[in-house]
Amino acid sequence: FWSAVCNGDLSVVERAVKSGACHAGLRDAADHSPLWDAIAFQQMLVAKFLFRSLPPGQAGAWDLSEKHHRTGDSLLHLICRCPPEKFDMAAAELFRDVLLNAPEAIFSHQNAQGCTFLHIAGYQCNFWILRAVLTNGPTKSLELLGL
């Protein structure tokens, strides 16, 4: 199953979700959820499917405040690390879904290097993410940037 998540084998992941073998409490050896691993390995179609299979507000939903124990990265940090050439519609929809449903504290969360997800998006020159966030209004955008 984990190899299917990390390699983007959507049909295997779909079967695991349907059978109940994949759930939000499932963790790999590094204590990450399947959603985390799909994003970390840039399998955005799998990640989008997983997110929508256990959406926020539903019992057993994904923990959108999940963070890496060493780097401090959040799910938003991981999505923003997706290289521009791989940032497709699935990545954009996943970013939007996580952004709209994540706890507010995650927006200003800084990883171990002191970077918010917006810093990562800027470093990656992901203008889609920057534009999407900054169009929320100057006050909220400045809060997200920690200014």
Side-chain angles (χ1 to χ4, degrees), residues 22-144:
C22 174
H23 51 85
L26 191 61
R27 294 290 183 263
D28 66 8
D31 198 33
H32 294 302
S33 69
L35 178 62
W36 177 280
D37 281 357
I39 296 169
F41 285 89
Q42 299 169 359
Q43 301 300 330
M44 297 306 180
L45 280 175
V46 169
K48 185 174 90 165
F49 169 78
L50 288 170
F51 179 89
R52 293 183 176 175
S53 70
L54 295 168
Q58 177 178 312
W62 300 107
D63 176 9
L64 299 183
S65 63
E66 182 176 0
K67 295 178 197 77
H68 191 277
H69 71 280
R70 185 178 42 82
T71 66
D73 282 345
S74 69
L75 293 172
L76 289 173
H77 285 85
L78 287 184
I79 297 168
C80 291
R81 288 188 189 283
C82 184
E85 65 274 7
K86 287 187 151 194
F87 195 86
D88 57 9
M89 185 57 73
E93 290 173 0
L94 178 65
F95 176 80
R96 181 201 61 218
D97 290 347
V98 173
L99 184 71
L100 292 175
N101 292 285
E104 194 164 321
I106 211 74
F107 301 144
S108 59
H109 171 73
Q110 295 180 2
N111 66 11
Q113 295 178 321
C115 297
T116 67
F117 73 91
L118 281 178
H119 291 110
I120 305 298
Y123 178 77
Q124 290 284 359
C125 295
N126 190 319
F127 298 112
W128 186 92
I129 287 177
L130 295 172
R131 184 178 60 243
V133 173
L134 293 174
T135 56
N136 284 322
T139 303
K140 184 64 174 174
S141 299
L142 290 174
E143 289 172 25
L144 292 173

